């Protein structure tokens, strides 16, 4: 017998949605800053550090995105990142056409250290499929804290002059994805602090 890996209930969506898509309840209206006509987009071409893709695009959500990257941070996290440039020229930060915010904490002169957060709306079917594949194909650990689904993985990169710790943490709730990707810069509790700001 082939045993399927454990999946949080929210990640079972891709398997059941095909059969029951016609029975889904009507979604609530999207907030005014959700681009109603924007098509889902896997990624935009980054200018600075390479950013792993995740499907983003218009969807129904009751959660408003922060006005800017600084609005993501609690006072404690702002203090942790003090002195590290945010969205320095040429580093790929800013707002994409589909309203997704890209926040890059990195010094352009640094070759390794960076912290990237991509936060935006993500259609539930595409987001659930993407999280499922990260768990099954790439070994991410997924579980269900704070009313959403969180998937995370950390590894050691030996491609640089020194070994560095890299990782990725994703949190999906109410049609919003918080996708944190880091190299040698991972403040403890970073994703949880963003979750607490969006859903106090």
């Amino acid at each position: 017998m082939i045993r399927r890996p454990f999946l949080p209930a929210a990640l079972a969506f891709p398997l059941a949605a095909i059969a029951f898509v016609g029975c889904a309840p009507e979604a609530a209206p999207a907030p005014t800053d959700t681009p109603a006509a924007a098509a889902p987009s896997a990624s935009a071409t980054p200018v600075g550090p390479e950013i792993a893709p995740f499907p983003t695009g218009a969807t129904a959500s009751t959660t408003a995105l922060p006005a800017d990257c600084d609005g993501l941070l609690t006072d404690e996290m702002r203090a942790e990142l003090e002195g590290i440039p945010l969205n320095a020229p040429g580093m790929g930060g800013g707002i994409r056409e589909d309203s997704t915010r890209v926040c890059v904490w990195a010094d352009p002169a640094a070759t390794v250290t960076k912290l990237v957060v991509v936060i935006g709306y993500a259609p539930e079917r595409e987001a659930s499929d993407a999280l499922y594949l990260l768990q099954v194909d790439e070994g991410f650990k997924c579980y269900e804290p704070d009313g959403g689904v969180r998937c995370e993985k950390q590894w050691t990169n030996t491609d640089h002059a020194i070994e560095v710790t890299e990782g990725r943490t994703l949190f999906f709730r109410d049609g919003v994805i918080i996708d944190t990707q880091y190299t040698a810069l991972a403040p403890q509790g970073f994703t949880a602090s963003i979750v607490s700001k969006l859903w106090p």
Side-chain angles (χ1 to χ4, degrees):
M1 176 182 294
I2 299 175
R3 294 185 177 274
R4 296 184 61 84
F6 165 77
L7 291 176
L11 292 188
F13 177 82
L15 304 178
I18 295 175
F20 300 103
V21 67
C23 303
E26 185 173 342
T32 55
D33 68 337
T34 304
S41 169
S43 66
T45 302
V47 177
E50 181 179 352
I51 300 174
F54 193 88
T56 57
T59 189
S61 176
T62 60
T63 302
L65 298 180
D68 54 32
C69 294
D70 190 62
L72 289 173
L73 301 179
T74 62
D75 292 340
E76 292 77 13
M77 281 300 149
R78 192 173 290 108
E80 284 269 351
L81 296 170
E82 185 175 2
I84 302 174
L86 170 60
N87 290 350
M91 296 306 290
I95 300 179
R96 295 176 178 169
E97 290 183 1
D98 66 357
S99 82
T100 299
R101 279 70 165 145
V102 181
C103 308
V104 182
W105 284 269
D107 188 330
T111 58
V112 174
T113 305
K114 68 176 181 180
L115 174 63
V116 179
V117 178
V118 179
I119 177 170
Y121 296 109
E124 185 172 355
R125 167 71 72 85
E126 288 86 344
S128 296
D129 285 349
L131 295 174
Y132 174 83
L133 291 175
L134 285 173
Q135 181 180 10
V136 173
D137 293 346
E138 299 188 32
F140 277 67
K141 176 185 177 183
C142 297
Y143 53 105
E144 299 181 69
D146 304 314
V149 177
R150 176 173 172 143
C151 294
E152 57 190 20
K153 182 180 178 180
Q154 184 171 286
W155 59 90
T156 300
N157 188 332
T158 58
D159 293 338
H160 305 286
I162 58 172
E163 289 189 357
V164 295
T165 299
E166 296 186 344
R168 187 179 184 190
T169 301
L170 305 98
F171 183 86
F172 181 70
R173 173 177 167 179
D174 189 33
V176 174
I177 186 66
I178 304 167
D179 185 354
T180 303
Q181 304 170 38
Y182 58 88
T183 301
L185 178 60
Q188 187 169 1
F190 183 76
T191 296
S193 71
I194 296 176
V195 170
S196 72
K197 286 282 288 186
L198 288 182
W199 297 283

